[in-house]
Amino acid sequence: MLPGPLDFSDTISSMASAPTSKYNSHSLENESIKRTSRDGVNWDLSEAVPRLPGETRVADKEVIYICPFNGPIKGRVYITNYRLYLRSLETLSSHWHFEADACVFQDSALILDVPLGVISRIEKMGGATSRGENSYGLDITCKDMRNLRFALKQEGHSRRDMFEILTRHAFPLAHSLPIFAFLNEEKFNVDGWLVYNPVEEYRRQGLPNHHWRITFINKCYELCDTYPSLLVVPYRASDEDLRRVATFRSRNRIPVLSWIHPENKTVIVRCSQPLVGMSGKRNKDDEKYLDVIRETNRQISKLTIYDARPNVNAVANKATGGGYESDDAYHNAELFFLDIHNIHVMRESLKKVKDIVYPNVEESHWLSSLESTHWLEHIKLVLTGAIQVADKVSSGKSSVLVHCSDGWDRTAQLTSLAMLMLDSFYRSIEGFEILVQKEWISFGHKFASRIGHGDKNHADADRSPIFLQFIDCVWQMSKQFPTAFEFNEQFLITILDHLYSCRFGTFLYNCESARERQKVTERTVSLWSLINSNKDKFKNPFYTKEINRVLYPVASMRHLELWVNYYIRWNPRIKQQQPNPVEQRYLELLALRDEYIKRLEELQLANSAKLSDPSTSPSSPSQMMPHVQTHF
Amino acid sequence: MEFSELIRTGRAQAELLRGPGAPPLRGTLCVTGHHLLLSPGPQATSDLWLLLLRSVDSIEKRVAGDSGTITLRCKDLRVLQLDIEGVEATLDIARSIEALSSLESVITSFPFFYRPKGLRLGDAWHFHPPEHHYKRVARETNAWRLSEVNEDFSVCPSYPRAVIVPRAVDDDALARSARFRQGGRFPVLSYHHAPSGTVLLRSSQPLTGPQKRRCAEDEELLRAVLAGARPGARGFIVDTRSAQAAKQARMTGGGTEAKAAYPGWKRLHRPMERGRPLQESFVRLVEACGDLEQSMDRWLSRLEGCRWLAHVKEALSTACLAAQGMEREGACILVHGAEGTDSTLLVTSLAQLILDPLSRTMTGFQELVEREWIQAGHPFQLRCAHSAFSHARPKHEAPTFLLFLDCVWQLGRQFPLSLEFGEGLLLALFEHAYASPFGTFLCNSEKERCLCEVRTRTHSLWSGLNQPKEQRKLRNPLYVLNPLAIWPSVEPQSLRLWQGLFLRWTRPPEPSEAAWEKVWQIVTDKEKTEGSQPTVSASEPQP
């Protein structure tokens, strides 16, 4: 809401209504309480502040929260080693008296519940000479599309204290403090760390087989320190070959298998750029290696190489020793550039999105402002690239090799999205977790650098919303195929929230070797534990399991939308004014669906007992693929 | 039959291209009085393809060698291409389609010939008479009566026979008030909001003119409205023109209510685009949506430049204003612009959807369309003579009704559970408003419909739509009654392009239809599993 009604109150001075947005923000905040309490958070009843096991109180302080939607509100802020929690001292109910009958939000204190991990920057605003009301305090920039401002008293050292405490706990790395995930003592009834087991996942894909083998050459990360320990490579390439190829690939990220098509056996292979350099160096081993990959599916076609970068960038990379596969050197390969820009362009683009949505939405020229951020255009290019990869593989014309510069940003986006389009397994909740775990976490997307967990250097040029962009693409796909994904929007938002929160170990560190050194799986909880122990909340009631259906989203600008429920979720105006119990209805439907499926299974069981037909269990792709047992 | 003179050629061999997703059809093309037929060759198994000529919006022909191509742009925004053997045949067929699709006579139009199986003439025409609406009002309040002052359409040619007016005002006073309002559209009741005891009225502009004339009966009528509402109620007149436009209207005999003449009433101006600018916006939008060449990085600014979503926003916020005045302020609302047959109806019908849970049901919504658009005298024949493709300069065309449907779609998107009907019904109404085998949207007013005997000689769309086989397409499987008002967000980022309509023929429709089907399945499976003893045959496996 809603200029209409707002204008109305402007016109009629006697009108008692305050801007209705208060109602909304309020409902939003309450939402977050409900959410955290459902997450099994302990409540400190005396303070009414939620606390996780292992979370300790550090300080509390009376402040004025300068809410961009409701104006200044007096409140008490509680800081723990995990979160900043604000509860307003005034209630908002007075604004809402005329809503009494429809109002379901009885206790109307405004609440902010912000994990310290989302904070990217803390600034002091105003100085000793500041005069204006509420002009002295702290200005906090968050990674999740919002800013927080608190006004503090000028007397005493209240601002200095709060600044120091916040800085200390929001940026523990700079203060030799542990990230909260290492202090978190939450217990869940499932262990998310067990979700991804590479051997099992490759076996599900029917690997190893006659053409592909699993190698432990990188067992101690000696071949490539940013790759996982377990790799799938062509059967015909020896470990010695791999070592020689590694010398010609940026950071030794050699081409390895990401996914194999169950029927036509074409593959998606990922790597980094070849070290061609200005002089146009060649490497026979690399050339031969790519040819071996090409030959693994017995079709006589060229290997398709997708270089995610714009052509000019690929050329420019030669200056720093990189480059791309030339026609001369790789006769049996065809190379296409996908024109996806680098991490810096994406970061600036998202910054522009934030500028037009927070705190106030650019209204008068919303669509052209949105266009000028180019965010959707980048989404379109990423999706278009992934569609091309998926189509090439699915049509069986050829195997595909994907790389960008280092092969951990755009490459991860492309391979994981293409896999999501090709393999319905990844569209289930656990399948998606495996996809993220495999293509992103294990293959060394530099989460620590891109997100800056616990790091105070907010202007670090290494930060970039690459993973967010991937999740956005997934959301766009789920919009276009409402029945194809087992998970709902809440699942994606929860993943993004914990991408920053530092409550779980899942996204910490840059690569598997670092994670292993830090014993992350032993010392922290996995995000998937939280999700998998409460799956219903993240399920899409309309999900229909379909094996072997390839999804081709429409990647035209006409069909892409800004993900309003994520990027503009802090703005109460985008919410309808009134409880819209969609979630509840969806849960009902989910229950109906489960009941139906159960009934169906009973029937099938009864039926198969009669016919003595054993094949009633839901089939997974692995069961549909012929199993080739090769020992390794 | 006279059509035969317009049919230049009997038949020709042709291939039909129906756009992405649909395979081309080959067969014999044939023009009849109302249809274009393509019957596939004997070897083909598919059915006859049929197009109502009335739904052709524009036609373009091209000949090359010994064959020709006809491009038909339809009122439902579909684009069809016919490749025809023979130059003469092409030209003849094109001329026949041109002539037949632009016939203006109502009584020779297809609805007068359409006799579908399973439907009886006269069915459903009695569904939503003014008496019906009055009964509901009378249950809630005693302050209103049903007047038949317009029984012979002489007081107001664009009103129905019976209208609901304040009990305290007699028919003579109504007739005099009608003379003071453009087209005789004196203030009548549109909706009684029982929870707050207030009413929504609509009319046309008062004919104050440059002399600032007044009309005692008109003033008395509005006074009676306030007296009949809850004690102490005030009134707001929502004028859908800018203050300046309203003032200027005095020069041509129109105007707006003078403050002094209507104590208790306050005027608000909410300028809304209508007429030609609205039609142009529609044309530009359809052009943009169909322009596949267009470089996509400019799509959003082009969409913005079409201003269609701005019109959606205007309409919804003005409706919110009216609804909020009633619900939160306990005020009576009178809506009018100039003629009171376009943006006025847009505002009153949307305000009802926001406030009234009954109007969000399947029957309630049909009743709303019937009462607030058809019987209220929205000139469908003039407004929907052409859709977005016509090359002719628009005369009276304006997509007001489409704008209404779009706003309803936005409400449905924001409140996915609160409307009993789905996108399917809105799409059907759009199609039928522009070209239909049913008589419901024919003519411009009840008077004309009466003269043409539409009610007795054509079938009602409502009886067509309410057949059981149509329900799955039209209903919203997620619907649960929501007794509250539904306040939409009208922020620009909350409003979306209605892809299901504007991109209907250019996008692969399959996923959304599959989704719809799936939802139905889940909901109806519930009934199945709740039903009697399960049998194996009932266990349809999940696809």
Side-chain angles (χ1 to χ4, degrees):
Chain A
M1 224 214 89
L2 319 122
L6 279 177
D7 293 353
F8 196 65
S9 62
D10 295 344
T11 324
I12 310 157
S13 53
S14 66
M15 232 167 132
S17 71
T20 335
S21 51
K22 300 200 173 163
Y23 183 64
N24 296 308
S25 98
H26 190 179
S27 71
L28 200 71
E29 308 297 349
N30 255 328
E31 265 288 307
S32 71
I33 306 183
K34 273 189 251 150
R35 205 165 46 229
T36 45
S37 65
R38 269 203 305 262
D39 287 353
V41 169
N42 294 331
W43 283 73
D44 185 339
L45 285 178
S46 60
E47 300 282 0
V49 177
R51 213 145 42 92
L52 295 167
E55 183 177 355
T56 50
R57 279 269 306 280
V58 178
D60 65 74
K61 199 164 278 314
E62 204 166 289
V63 297
I64 290 169
Y65 168 51
I66 304 172
C67 173
F69 312 111
N70 296 296
I73 298 167
K74 198 182 274 183
R76 179 165 285 277
V77 69
Y78 302 84
I79 299 167
T80 72
N81 53 355
Y82 171 64
R83 78 184 87 207
L84 179 158
Y85 187 89
L86 175 120
R87 169 179 285 272
S88 69
L89 298 172
E90 316 154 47
T91 61
L92 294 169
S93 59
S94 58
H95 302 301
W96 282 100
H97 58 271
F98 57 87
E99 269 295 329
D101 52 345
C103 188
V104 293
F105 306 107
Q106 299 298 329
D107 169 27
S108 47
L110 182 138
I111 281 161
L112 276 181
D113 187 355
V114 186
L116 298 179
V118 309
I119 295 176
S120 86
R121 180 181 195 182
I122 307 168
E123 286 169 288
K124 294 174 181 165
M125 59 171 189
T129 54
S130 289
R131 285 289 166 268
E133 204 185 342
N134 298 332
S135 61
Y136 182 84
L138 292 177
D139 197 337
I140 299 173
T141 311
C142 298
K143 297 169 183 173
D144 61 353
M145 309 296 286
R146 58 176 160 169
N147 297 338
L148 306 169
R149 306 185 93 181
F150 298 106
L152 291 149
K153 290 196 192 80
Q154 264 161 297
E155 307 86 58
H157 294 297
S158 67
R159 181 172 79 172
R160 195 191 65 195
D161 293 349
M162 185 164 160
F163 178 82
E164 276 168 10
I165 290 165
L166 272 179
T167 306
R168 213 172 140 76
H169 290 93
F171 310 125
L173 294 190
H175 300 85
S176 320
L177 286 172
I179 282 180
F180 178 74
F182 291 101
L183 304 170
N184 186 2
E185 291 163 11
E186 279 179 278
K187 297 273 179 293
F188 293 96
N189 53 21
V190 288
D191 183 357
W193 292 122
L194 303 178
V195 163
Y196 178 57
N197 174 336
V199 174
E200 253 171 53
E201 162 56 15
Y202 287 121
R203 184 171 294 155
R204 186 192 66 85
Q205 293 191 25
L207 297 167
N209 64 17
H210 290 313
H211 295 282
W212 294 91
R213 66 185 180 98
I214 290 179
T215 172
F216 294 99
I217 185 176
N218 202 36
K219 191 163 193 304
C220 302
Y221 309 102
E222 59 272 52
L223 177 77
C224 170
D225 60 350
T226 59
Y227 260 6
S229 59
L230 199 140
L231 299 169
V232 176
V233 296
Y235 200 82
R236 283 176 47 207
S238 69
D239 283 0
E240 206 35 57
D241 293 335
L242 301 180
R243 284 194 195 93
R244 282 197 296 266
V245 172
T247 61
F248 192 62
R249 290 282 165 178
S250 173
R251 297 172 199 272
N252 300 343
R253 294 172 68 94
I254 59 167
V256 296
L257 180 141
S258 273
W259 192 78
I260 183 163
H261 193 283
E263 274 130 40
N264 66 35
K265 304 295 175 198
T266 50
V267 293
I268 299 176
V269 167
R270 62 182 290 172
C271 60
S272 60
Q273 65 183 341
L275 299 174
V276 174
M278 291 299 265
S279 57
K281 258 183 292 174
R282 289 178 57 168
N283 180 309
K284 284 285 169 220
D285 296 301
D286 192 73
E287 290 162 24
K288 201 181 109 208
Y289 184 70
L290 293 204
D291 217 40
V292 168
I293 291 173
R294 180 184 68 87
E295 285 168 351
T296 55
N297 78 322
R298 268 149 283 161
Q299 273 129 13
I300 4 71
S301 51
K302 291 196 165 185
L303 176 73
T304 307
I305 300 173
Y306 286 112
D307 187 326
R309 301 165 292 185
N311 194 345
V312 284
N313 296 27
V315 173
N317 258 289
K318 287 187 177 180
T320 50
Y324 54 91
E325 294 82 355
S326 68
D327 288 346
D328 301 342
Y330 299 85
H331 301 294
N332 288 323
E334 259 183 310
L335 183 132
F336 302 95
F337 294 102
L338 294 178
D339 289 327
I340 303 170
H341 287 278
N342 62 24
I343 58 166
H344 311 294
V345 175
M346 302 308 181
R347 182 181 55 239
E348 294 314 308
S349 174
L350 185 69
K351 219 174 249 168
K352 285 185 196 147
V353 173
K354 186 170 178 180
D355 286 345
I356 65 164
V357 302
Y358 196 91
N360 296 309
V361 173
E362 166 62 49
E363 264 188 50
S364 53
H365 295 286
W366 165 246
L367 292 173
S368 39
S369 317
L370 179 59
E371 185 174 278
S372 67
T373 68
H374 299 288
W375 182 254
L376 288 177
E377 216 181 308
H378 296 312
I379 296 281
K380 184 192 85 172
L381 285 170
V382 173
L383 272 173
T384 308
I387 291 169
Q388 289 183 62
V389 173
D391 184 51
K392 208 34 128 195
V393 170
S394 150
S395 64
K397 290 200 187 79
S398 88
S399 288
V400 167
L401 178 112
V402 183
H403 70 72
C404 43
S405 298
D406 290 316
W408 51 44
D409 293 307
R410 288 165 277 197
T411 301
Q413 288 178 331
L414 290 168
T415 57
S416 55
L417 285 170
M419 287 158 76
L420 199 61
M421 292 170 195
L422 290 163
D423 191 340
S424 59
F425 171 73
Y426 298 122
R427 296 174 218 143
S428 65
I429 288 180
E430 290 210 10
F432 189 77
E433 292 167 0
I434 287 172
L435 184 71
V436 169
Q437 205 66 55
K438 177 179 183 303
E439 289 304 300
W440 290 86
I441 298 172
S442 87
F443 271 98
H445 172 68
K446 301 202 294 174
F447 281 104
S449 307
R450 297 289 175 258
I451 307 302
H453 293 129
D455 173 42
K456 69 177 192 326
N457 188 4
H458 62 89
D460 189 344
D462 248 356
R463 293 200 186 174
S464 186
I466 300 300
F467 186 73
L468 164 63
Q469 204 170 40
F470 159 70
I471 295 287
D472 192 329
C473 291
V474 176
W475 178 82
Q476 304 281 352
M477 283 178 69
S478 72
K479 268 291 197 214
Q480 293 190 21
F481 300 95
T483 64
F485 296 86
E486 190 190 9
F487 46 83
N488 58 19
E489 187 176 57
Q490 192 54 47
F491 175 75
L492 299 177
I493 292 178
T494 303
I495 291 177
L496 289 177
D497 282 346
H498 293 297
L499 173 66
Y500 307 118
S501 77
C502 294
R503 174 170 156 192
F504 301 101
T506 303
F507 297 115
L508 298 183
Y509 301 102
N510 282 334
C511 56
E512 202 177 281
S513 59
R515 245 166 259 129
E516 209 151 280
R517 273 198 303 280
Q518 299 297 332
K519 301 194 168 50
V520 167
T521 56
E522 293 156 46
R523 295 170 57 210
T524 71
V525 180
S526 159
L527 167 60
W528 317 130
S529 304
L530 170 83
I531 286 175
N532 294 355
S533 60
N534 191 7
K535 262 194 189 168
D536 272 357
K537 201 177 132 191
F538 303 105
K539 274 188 183 167
N540 167 15
F542 310 126
Y543 174 54
T544 312
K545 197 168 179 173
E546 284 171 301
I547 312 284
N548 292 348
R549 179 185 175 203
V550 181
L551 302 184
Y552 290 115
V554 183
S556 127
M557 286 299 285
R558 286 187 176 91
H559 292 88
L560 300 179
E561 298 179 9
L562 184 76
W563 186 7
V564 170
N565 285 350
Y566 180 75
Y567 298 107
I568 321 187
R569 66 177 155 156
W570 309 119
N571 189 331
R573 285 172 159 230
I574 65 142
K575 298 262 171 178
Q576 295 82 33
Q577 270 187 70
Q578 182 233 289
N580 192 14
V582 181
E583 271 178 44
Q584 194 197 322
R585 174 77 170 147
Y586 283 2
L587 282 177
E588 272 171 43
L589 284 173
L590 210 58
L592 282 179
R593 189 171 152 268
D594 289 349
E595 192 186 317
Y596 173 66
I597 291 172
K598 213 175 93 198
R599 205 56 170 273
L600 198 72
E601 277 166 5
E602 283 168 17
L603 289 170
Q604 279 172 342
L605 212 65
N607 197 23
S608 65
K610 273 184 235 148
L611 302 169
S612 66
D613 172 9
S615 65
T616 47
S617 61
S619 48
S620 70
S622 66
Q623 281 165 298
M624 302 196 50
M625 294 175 203
H627 253 163
V628 185
Q629 287 296 338
T630 358
H631 295 282
F632 51 87
Chain B
M1 192 159 67
E2 56 186 303
F3 300 125
S4 57
E5 298 158 23
L6 302 172
I7 302 173
R8 300 296 194 91
T9 188
R11 54 196 58 215
Q13 290 303 308
E15 184 172 56
L16 169 72
L17 303 171
R18 292 175 292 176
L25 281 183
R26 273 201 72 79
T28 310
L29 190 70
C30 175
V31 184
T32 73
H34 294 111
H35 289 98
L36 190 63
L37 300 165
L38 189 83
S39 61
Q43 73 279 15
T45 49
S46 66
D47 288 334
L48 197 69
W49 177 83
L50 197 73
L51 178 75
L52 192 62
L53 286 173
R54 184 83 204 146
S55 65
V56 174
D57 204 29
S58 87
I59 170 166
E60 208 178 279
K61 51 185 185 285
R62 235 183 15 248
V63 288
D66 54 359
S67 68
T69 298
I70 294 179
T71 306
L72 298 176
R73 291 190 168 76
C74 301
K75 288 174 182 163
D76 62 4
L77 312 182
R78 230 180 332 170
V79 179
L80 303 165
Q81 189 186 315
L82 286 162
D83 294 328
I84 300 170
E85 287 173 21
V87 171
E88 272 312 297
T90 307
L91 296 177
D92 283 346
I93 285 175
R95 266 180 236 130
S96 311
I97 298 174
E98 250 160 31
L100 289 163
S101 63
S102 55
L103 285 181
E104 295 207 347
S105 148
V106 172
I107 53 165
T108 58
S109 66
F110 184 60
F112 286 85
F113 301 88
Y114 182 53
R115 295 294 174 264
K117 264 187 227 154
L119 295 185
R120 275 209 334 255
L121 269 185
D123 273 1
W125 280 116
H126 59 277
F127 269 16
H128 313 291
E131 288 77 11
H132 198 105
H133 184 214
Y134 177 65
K135 257 190 208 152
R136 179 180 171 195
V137 175
R139 273 199 300 275
E140 296 164 350
T141 166
N142 192 32
W144 297 80
R145 69 184 182 95
L146 190 70
S147 164
E148 298 194 347
V149 66
N150 197 36
E151 194 178 9
D152 55 359
F153 305 110
S154 60
V155 172
C156 172
S158 62
Y159 270 172
R161 290 166 185 281
V163 288
I164 304 173
V165 296
R167 184 170 296 283
V169 179
D170 65 21
D171 282 358
D172 285 346
L174 294 177
R176 271 193 286 276
S177 165
R179 262 175 259 145
F180 183 63
R181 295 275 173 178
Q182 183 174 0
R185 295 175 70 91
F186 55 92
V188 296
L189 181 106
S190 165
Y191 168 61
H192 177 251
H193 188 51
S196 64
T198 58
V199 290
L200 181 63
L201 307 164
R202 52 178 159 75
S203 70
S204 60
Q205 64 177 339
L207 300 174
T208 50
Q211 279 86 39
K212 300 191 184 174
R213 259 178 305 160
R214 293 175 57 167
C215 168
E217 289 80 3
D218 193 75
E219 291 164 18
E220 176 51 35
L221 200 162
L222 289 193
R223 208 170 12 250
V225 168
L226 293 187
R230 68 174 185 96
R234 293 174 308 146
F236 291 104
I237 297 170
V238 177
D239 193 322
T240 63
R241 301 164 295 177
S242 68
Q244 175 153 18
K247 209 168 169 187
Q248 264 170 6
R250 286 218 305 266
M251 294 301 143
T252 49
T256 189
E257 290 81 357
K259 209 171 180 179
Y262 297 88
W265 290 86
K266 186 175 164 149
R267 226 169 52 228
L268 302 171
H269 290 277
R270 279 294 173 279
M272 289 168 70
E273 213 70 85
R274 67 202 78 209
R276 183 163 302 168
L278 199 58
Q279 176 72 11
E280 280 164 3
S281 165
F282 177 39
V283 170
R284 276 201 305 273
L285 177 61
V286 169
E287 222 173 72
C289 289
D291 183 358
L292 300 175
E293 311 288 301
Q294 211 229 325
S295 154
M296 274 303 147
D297 49 345
R298 304 291 299 154
W299 163 250
L300 289 175
S301 46
R302 187 158 175 197
L303 180 60
E304 183 174 279
C306 296
R307 295 199 35 80
W308 181 259
L309 289 173
H311 299 314
V312 169
K313 182 189 158 103
E314 261 168 23
L316 278 174
S317 15
T318 310
C320 278
L321 172 77
Q324 193 171 35
M326 296 169 74
E327 167 98 350
R328 301 228 169 114
E329 284 301 291
C332 295
I333 307 279
L334 167 66
V335 185
H336 71 69
E339 293 164 314
T341 54
D342 290 280
S343 43
T344 301
L345 306 181
L346 189 58
V347 174
T348 57
S349 53
L350 286 173
Q352 287 175 63
L353 272 170
I354 292 168
L355 291 176
D356 181 13
L358 265 184
S359 70
R360 297 178 221 136
T361 63
M362 192 70 168
T363 15
F365 184 68
Q366 291 179 7
E367 197 256 353
L368 184 74
V369 170
E370 177 73 32
R371 175 164 54 80
E372 285 298 294
W373 288 90
I374 298 168
Q375 293 175 16
H378 177 65
F380 277 98
Q381 199 184 335
L382 292 173
R383 297 290 180 260
C384 302
H386 280 289
S387 159
F389 291 123
S390 171
H391 301 301
R393 209 175 146 70
K395 288 185 295 231
H396 303 289
E397 289 85 353
T400 325
F401 187 62
L402 170 61
L403 185 58
F404 164 70
L405 296 175
D406 195 332
C407 292
V408 178
W409 179 83
Q410 307 280 352
L411 283 173
R413 204 191 65 82
Q414 294 191 19
F415 297 89
L417 312 181
S418 296
L419 306 183
E420 195 184 9
F421 48 93
E423 186 178 49
L425 179 67
L426 302 176
L427 291 174
L429 290 178
F430 165 66
E431 261 175 54
H432 286 284
Y434 278 87
S436 172
F438 296 98
T440 298
F441 288 109
L442 288 180
C443 304
N444 293 308
S445 63
E446 286 294 281
K447 181 184 180 183
E448 288 180 26
R449 257 166 241 132
C450 193
L451 288 172
C452 296
E453 300 174 271
V454 168
R455 278 168 189 272
T456 48
R457 294 178 53 199
T458 73
H459 283 284
S460 158
L461 173 64
W462 308 129
S463 60
L465 290 181
N466 290 334
Q467 296 176 91
K469 61 172 179 176
E470 302 288 335
Q471 295 307 299
R472 212 152 152 136
K473 272 196 306 219
L474 308 178
R475 282 179 186 269
N476 173 11
L478 297 176
Y479 173 70
V480 277
L481 176 78
N482 178 351
L484 304 171
I486 51 172
W487 300 105
S489 164
V490 297
E491 298 293 308
Q493 63 281 3
S494 300
L495 303 175
R496 295 277 189 295
L497 176 69
W498 184 5
Q499 295 191 348
L501 187 124
F502 292 105
L503 301 177
R504 186 178 179 187
W505 308 106
T506 51
R507 68 165 183 178
E510 178 255 338
S512 66
E513 271 169 28
W516 198 246
E517 190 47 43
K518 174 68 191 167
V519 177
W520 267 114
Q521 213 183 330
I522 292 168
V523 173
T524 48
D525 284 344
K526 173 194 171 197
E527 284 140 32
K528 246 188 252 165
T529 50
E530 280 174 352
S532 57
Q533 197 59 26
T535 58
V536 175
S537 61
S539 67
E540 289 162 36
Q542 308 262 310

